[in-house]
């Protein structure tokens, strides 16, 4: 466990259940009740118990590998279709390069949606795990409501163009799976 100076936030990191860190900011501790802060910490502990950090890293890596591979296969076939039958070349042509670039972008966006789906499922599961650890979903519900109402700190001027402002939602807390309870 660690506490750091900063805006309201908490996270879990680490390669395994026995070698992980759960960190919470002073901004989150100051802006929440003890019950809400405990729910947030339980949520992060559930991420550790579920192995979410490694799982999402592996999902991202596998999806990126498919994007890389499929884009190049499509690029190869487009390049072959664009070449004249008697044309010899020592390397890929412009058809390959353009197709790979476009496919990397398109497949990358599609892959991001897949990763976001799995990430959202893991967040719901961590919410459920927090409710299970605390014996009731109410602290988690209150913490999510509080997080939705906290106003984010303004972004530095040089990063404002990349900022996305919005309100967080409240997720339902369902019982954890058997696999989680046995962990």
């Amino acid at each position: 466990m660690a506490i750091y100076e900063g805006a309201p936030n908490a996270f879990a990191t680490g390669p395994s259940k026995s070698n992980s860190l759960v960190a919470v900011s002073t901004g989150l501790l100051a802006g929440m009740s003890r019950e809400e802060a405990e729910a947030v910490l339980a949520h992060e502990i559930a991420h550790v118990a579920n192995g979410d950090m490694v799982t999402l890293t592996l999902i991202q890596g596998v999806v990126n590998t498919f994007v890389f591979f499929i884009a190049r296969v499509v690029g190869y076939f487009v390049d072959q279709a664009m070449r004249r039958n008697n044309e010899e070349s020592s390397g890929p042509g412009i058809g390959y390069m353009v197709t790979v670039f476009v496919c990397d972008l398109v497949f990358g966006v599609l892959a991001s949606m897949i990763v976001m789906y799995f990430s959202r499922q893991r967040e719901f599961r961590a919410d459920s795990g927090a409710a299970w650890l605390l014996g009731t979903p109410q602290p988690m519900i209150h913490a999510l409501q509080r997080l939705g109402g906290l106003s984010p700190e303004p972004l530095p001027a040089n990063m404002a163009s990349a900022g996305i402002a919005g309100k967080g939602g409240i997720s339902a807390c369902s019982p954890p799976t058997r696999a989680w309870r046995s962990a």
Side-chain angles (χ1 to χ4, degrees):
M1 299 290 294
I3 298 173
Y4 67 95
E5 294 287 330
N9 198 7
F11 63 90
T13 186
S16 68
K17 292 176 188 178
S18 61
N19 191 16
S20 293
L21 169 74
V22 173
V24 63
S25 71
T26 54
L28 186 131
L29 293 173
M32 293 190 154
S33 70
R34 180 183 175 102
E35 177 184 79
E36 293 164 346
E38 286 174 353
V40 170
L41 288 171
H43 171 94
E44 298 305 332
I45 289 168
H47 277 307
V48 172
N50 292 331
D52 291 343
M53 293 81 58
V54 171
T55 301
L56 283 174
T57 301
L58 291 172
I59 290 169
Q60 183 72 61
V62 168
V63 169
N64 286 349
T65 301
F66 278 105
V67 167
F68 187 85
F69 178 74
I70 293 170
R72 276 134 190 89
V73 168
V74 171
Y76 172 80
F77 285 114
V78 168
D79 192 50
Q80 291 302 310
M82 290 179 64
R83 291 179 191 255
R84 295 189 186 109
N85 291 339
N86 59 359
E87 187 177 315
E88 292 290 324
S89 177
S90 62
I94 189 73
Y96 175 84
M97 290 185 274
V98 170
T99 303
V100 167
F101 179 76
V102 170
C103 286
D104 277 340
L105 290 174
V106 172
F107 297 159
V109 169
L110 295 173
S112 294
M113 287 189 236
I114 293 168
V115 173
M116 285 187 278
Y117 169 79
F118 282 104
S119 176
R120 186 61 22 219
Q121 295 303 312
R122 293 295 185 158
E123 288 300 322
F124 288 142
R125 193 169 170 194
D127 288 347
S128 175
W132 182 77
L133 283 170
L134 297 171
T136 176
Q138 291 307 312
M140 193 69 233
I141 292 169
H142 293 148
L144 290 168
Q145 288 172 331
R146 175 81 57 153
L147 285 170
L150 290 174
S151 56
E153 291 185 359
L155 291 171
N158 63 345
M159 293 189 62
S161 64
I164 299 173
K167 295 287 183 186
I170 301 171
S171 65
C173 295
S174 58
T177 62
R178 276 181 209 223
W180 191 87
R181 282 185 236 171
S182 64

